[in-house]
Amino acid sequence: MNVRREAAAVILELDDEAETEALGRALAEVVAADVVVGLVGPLGAGKTRLSRAVAEALGVDPAAIASPTFVLIHEYDGRIPVFHFDAYRLPSPAAFEDLGPADYWSAGGVCLVEWADRVADSLPPDTWWVRIDPGAGARRSIRIEAPGEPLDRLARTLDPRA
């Protein structure tokens, strides 16, 4: 895993699924209740894999975690509750708003929103952004934008030299 801290982001180059899972565990260490994480990337980029890794690291039963594509919102109990959204099949941002997502933003859990770019205006202004660009095989380039202090902690968790 290659980790680079920039002024407003952490940039990662991941080589395999194990590194994606390590990133999920690291994110789980730095998120707190009421953090919204917007996940962006094409089909197959690893949004659900990363969401699953975060949820598992927060104590969610791995057998309970499913892709929210058809249910749209899953609620999971863990050390911090996890609210997992998927905007892929929604026809518009208004359809997302009809689900009442704003009720979750301050409900004491971590909100993971897949396809967040489709509903960006519906997300809170302090949303953390995880942009995933898939490469060949399981390789991924990831750009994470979040408030400075959590980004610093994330970079140090992933690479103590950062």
Side-chain angles (χ1 to χ4, degrees), residues 31-97:
V31 296
D34 300 333
V35 167
V36 177
V37 179
L39 298 142
V40 178
L43 279 171
K47 296 177 297 294
T48 301
R49 162 99 44 206
L50 184 58
S51 295
R52 179 182 306 270
V54 171
E56 286 182 26
L58 289 172
V60 174
D61 177 3
I65 302 169
S67 174
T69 300
F70 295 102
V71 176
L72 305 177
I73 302 173
H74 282 276
E75 299 180 17
Y76 300 116
D77 291 323
R79 180 172 45 84
I80 300 173
V82 176
F83 308 122
H84 188 192
F85 301 76
D86 191 317
Y88 180 70
R89 296 201 183 279
L90 295 173
S92 68
F96 182 72
E97 287 292 328

